[in-house]
Amino acid sequence: MGGVAVDEGAGGVKAPDGGWGWAVLAGCFVITGFSYAFPKAVSVFFKELIREFGIGYSDTAWISSILLAMLYGTGPLCSVLVNRFGCRPVMLVGGVFASLGMILASFSTSIIHIYLTTGVITGLGLSLNFQPSLIMLNRYFSEKRPLANGLSAAGSPVALCCLSPLGQVLQYRYGWRGGFLILGGILLNCCVCGALMRPLLAPETACVKEGEEEERQVAEKPKAKLLDFSVFKDRGFVIYTVAATIMVLGLFVPPVFVVSYAKELGNEDTKSALLLSILGFIDIFARPICGVVAGLKWVRPRCVYLFSFALIFNGTTDLVGSQAKDYNSLVVYCVFFGVSYGMVGALQFEVLMAIVGTQKFSSAIGLVLLMEAIAVLVGPPGAGRLLDSTKNYMYVFLLAGGEVVLSALVLAICNLLFIKKKPSEAAAELENGTADNTTKMDHFSKLLEKEDEEEKGETEEQEKEETNKEKAKEVKEEEKETEETENTTEEIGPESITVDAQEVERFLKEPRQNGSVSTGPETCL
């Protein structure tokens, strides 16, 4: 293979909205599933690790916490690497790291080794895959981007439904070491997904004839920033970052505690675990459907407010679910939570893409994930401390619901007050792909009409110039002809004719030879 094609942002390349983009979407689907479901799937092996190393449950819980912290906290590092080397090389290296961490973990002799291998190395590898896959998805889709985001986000519940039972089977047949080794091999599929991320190439333009001119253009081109902090100048990005940070404080708390909540109400372990399956099953269908709705022409310009509605829906579900007193109430709660959770998952990155655009998305998502990493480390542990102090799950769900509703209010109210849309932003919407098809057609038709008018004016001016030139030529030709005629008349004038008197007398005296001559005044000389 040749040199690495570095992705430099949109670069004027129009998103194909299909074609190879569907292969990119399939890779993003798998990567999203691994990134979000793997930290939860590893928890299947915790009992074996407790028995193997003689540690407590809180010690094993740090494995998932470190995984999530690396997934979110290394966002800026991933942004720098993507802006420097491109998405595909970063994802290939990330797939190797993710697999290598699990393979090394299968040879661990202490829990610290698992922290370093599964937590740090595998977490870093998943981060180097997750963020570039979203960046490539943003570059390949514009009109169909909400649908693409919804379908890729559906990879999380699908992978969770597959990896958790697979982990139980692997633990039963091969133990935790064999299970870690096989999972490491499965994670090598991240490299396959990374190979699908073919960079978009700009259309061929007029080639530069001289090599010196091409080198001069490359030298004059401004160097791309590895991490663009100018996104903080955008009010919409700042509002989104604050709201997303508050959201993460409570968004992931209910799935962690709902099974324990069911057990606290006196339900069996298998029956309690079924609640997560119900939640995940609803989540699978909620994300693509929400993506379709978000792509409607009258919804997409107001996608921020749809995201705010999803957050209010999710937070209100937590507030109402905190009053559940039996298993049936928890089932209803999980159904509504699955719908709202799927809506949030399908819209969170779509809204960010719409705010910052393609050029700055690679830096923006890294900075947002860094802020969310802090909230991820604070949210669930804080809810756990609240549960230890109150011994009541109702307060945990009330806290989580209140935080999510607060994030929705911050996002909606601040956008309504501080983000005012101007008519001049219609052109920017066209570039970012946020305007609908009718607006684009009107815009392009107006441009074509203007071009036609300009061309007509140019052609009329050219015709006038040509007619004037022809008239001037005719005038010049007429002047030349008159000059020539004058010259000829001057040459054949009476002054130039000489008459010999002897010849005249001879002509008059010889009438027989010349014919009879009538006598008259003219001949009588």
Side-chain angles (χ1 to χ4, degrees), residues 243-409:
T245 304
I246 300 173
M247 173 195 72
V248 172
L249 288 172
L251 184 64
F252 301 120
V253 171
V256 175
F257 290 96
V258 66
V259 176
S260 301
Y261 191 11
K263 292 179 181 179
E264 184 73 15
L265 295 176
N267 298 291
E268 298 176 357
D269 292 350
T270 55
K271 196 175 180 180
S272 301
L274 184 62
L275 293 173
L276 284 180
S277 300
I278 296 172
L279 192 155
F281 182 77
I282 299 297
D283 192 8
I284 291 173
F285 297 98
R287 298 190 183 213
I289 293 174
C290 183
V292 173
V293 174
L296 298 176
K297 62 180 182 180
W298 57 274
V299 176
R300 194 173 183 186
R302 303 167 182 84
C303 193
V304 174
Y305 299 104
L306 179 62
F307 184 46
S308 301
F309 169 76
L311 292 174
I312 292 176
F313 185 17
N314 185 271
T316 305
T317 303
D318 293 339
L319 296 176
V320 176
S322 65
Q323 306 301 320
K325 301 299 180 183
D326 54 8
Y327 185 78
N328 293 330
S329 301
L330 288 177
V331 170
V332 174
Y333 163 75
C334 287
V335 170
F336 282 96
F337 185 84
V339 173
S340 61
Y341 191 75
M343 292 177 65
V344 173
L347 293 173
Q348 58 176 341
F349 295 115
E350 165 62 24
V351 173
L352 180 61
M353 292 175 186
I355 290 174
V356 300
T358 304
Q359 294 281 353
K360 298 181 179 181
F361 180 72
S362 58
S363 298
I365 189 174
L367 297 171
V368 169
L369 290 178
L370 177 62
M371 299 300 296
E372 290 183 354
I374 300 172
V376 165
L377 292 177
V378 173
R385 289 189 177 184
L386 178 63
L387 179 62
D388 293 336
S389 59
T390 59
K391 306 297 182 183
N392 193 339
Y393 283 91
M394 179 184 69
Y395 297 108
V396 174
F397 283 80
L398 288 174
L399 175 63
E403 290 168 343
V404 176
V405 170
L406 177 62
S407 67
L409 295 177

Side-chain angles (χ1 to χ4, degrees), residues 219-236:
E220 292 177 356
K221 185 177 180 180
K223 191 175 180 181
K225 296 180 180 179
L226 297 180
L227 191 61
D228 192 359
F229 288 98
S230 65
V231 291
F232 284 107
K233 297 179 181 179
D234 188 349
R235 292 181 180 179

Side-chain angles (χ1 to χ4, degrees), residues 14 48 79 255 321:
K14 183 180 179 181
E48 287 290 329
S79 297

Side-chain angles (χ1 to χ4, degrees), residues 184-202:
I186 293 175
L187 285 177
L188 279 174
N189 288 293
C190 293
C191 296
V192 179
C193 297
L196 295 174
M197 305 299 166
R198 186 171 65 190
L200 282 172
L201 299 177

Side-chain angles (χ1 to χ4, degrees), residues 38-366:
F38 202 80
K40 301 174 185 176
V42 173
S43 62
V44 175
F45 300 95
F46 284 177
K47 289 184 179 179
E48 287 290 329
L49 295 176
I50 291 171
R51 190 181 300 111
E52 177 81 15
F53 300 115
I55 55 178
Y57 182 82
S58 59
D59 296 324
T60 57
W62 274 102
I63 299 174
S64 298
S65 298
I66 296 173
L67 265 171
L68 288 173
M70 293 298 296
L71 179 63
Y72 285 92
T74 56
L77 173 63
C78 188
S79 297
V80 170
L81 294 176
V82 167
N83 292 332
R84 177 64 180 86
F85 300 105
C87 291
R88 180 187 278 176
V90 173
M91 291 184 69
L92 292 174
V93 174
V96 173
F97 271 88
S99 175
L100 181 63
M102 293 302 296
I103 294 173
L104 292 176
S106 64
F107 300 100
S108 299
T109 57
S110 68
I111 192 65
I112 302 298
H113 295 163
I114 296 180
Y115 290 161
L116 296 175
T117 54
T118 303
V120 177
I121 299 178
T122 300
L124 177 61
L126 292 176
S127 175
L128 294 179
N129 277 271
F130 175 62
Q131 187 172 327
S133 66
L134 292 177
I135 295 172
M136 290 302 297
L137 190 69
N138 181 37
R139 293 177 182 175
Y140 268 89
F141 289 92
S142 177
E143 295 295 329
K144 300 178 182 178
R145 192 177 63 202
L147 174 62
N149 276 309
L151 291 173
S152 65
S156 175
V158 170
L160 183 60
C161 294
C162 296
L163 288 177
S164 295
L166 177 63
Q168 292 177 353
V169 172
L170 294 177
Q171 179 185 354
Y172 177 75
R173 297 194 62 177
Y174 304 105
W176 71 270
R177 294 184 184 273
F180 275 25
L181 187 63
I182 293 172
L183 288 177
I186 293 175
L187 285 177
L188 279 174
N189 288 293
C190 293
C191 296
V192 179
C193 297
L196 295 174
M197 305 299 166
R198 186 171 65 190
L200 282 172
L201 299 177
E204 294 183 0
T205 56
C207 298
V208 181
K209 295 181 179 180
E210 298 180 358
E212 296 179 357
E213 186 176 354
E214 187 176 3
E215 292 178 358
R216 180 179 59 80
Q217 291 179 355
V218 173
E220 292 177 356
K221 185 177 180 180
K223 191 175 180 181
K225 296 180 180 179
L226 297 180
L227 191 61
D228 192 359
F229 288 98
S230 65
V231 291
F232 284 107
K233 297 179 181 179
D234 188 349
R235 292 181 180 179
F237 174 75
V238 174
I239 294 170
Y240 176 87
T241 304
V242 174
T245 304
I246 300 173
M247 173 195 72
V248 172
L249 288 172
L251 184 64
F252 301 120
V253 171
V256 175
F257 290 96
V258 66
V259 176
S260 301
Y261 191 11
K263 292 179 181 179
E264 184 73 15
L265 295 176
N267 298 291
E268 298 176 357
D269 292 350
T270 55
K271 196 175 180 180
S272 301
L274 184 62
L275 293 173
L276 284 180
S277 300
I278 296 172
L279 192 155
F281 182 77
I282 299 297
D283 192 8
I284 291 173
F285 297 98
R287 298 190 183 213
I289 293 174
C290 183
V292 173
V293 174
L296 298 176
K297 62 180 182 180
W298 57 274
V299 176
R300 194 173 183 186
R302 303 167 182 84
C303 193
V304 174
Y305 299 104
L306 179 62
F307 184 46
S308 301
F309 169 76
L311 292 174
I312 292 176
F313 185 17
N314 185 271
T316 305
T317 303
D318 293 339
L319 296 176
V320 176
S322 65
Q323 306 301 320
K325 301 299 180 183
D326 54 8
Y327 185 78
N328 293 330
S329 301
L330 288 177
V331 170
V332 174
Y333 163 75
C334 287
V335 170
F336 282 96
F337 185 84
V339 173
S340 61
Y341 191 75
M343 292 177 65
V344 173
L347 293 173
Q348 58 176 341
F349 295 115
E350 165 62 24
V351 173
L352 180 61
M353 292 175 186
I355 290 174
V356 300
T358 304
Q359 294 281 353
K360 298 181 179 181
F361 180 72
S362 58
S363 298
I365 189 174

Side-chain angles (χ1 to χ4, degrees), residues 481-503:
E481 289 177 356
T482 54
E483 289 177 357
E484 290 176 357
T485 54
E486 289 176 357
N487 293 332
T488 54
T489 53
E490 288 177 358
E491 291 177 356
I492 313 176
E495 295 177 355
S496 61
I497 299 174
T498 57
V499 179
D500 191 356
Q502 294 177 357
E503 289 181 357

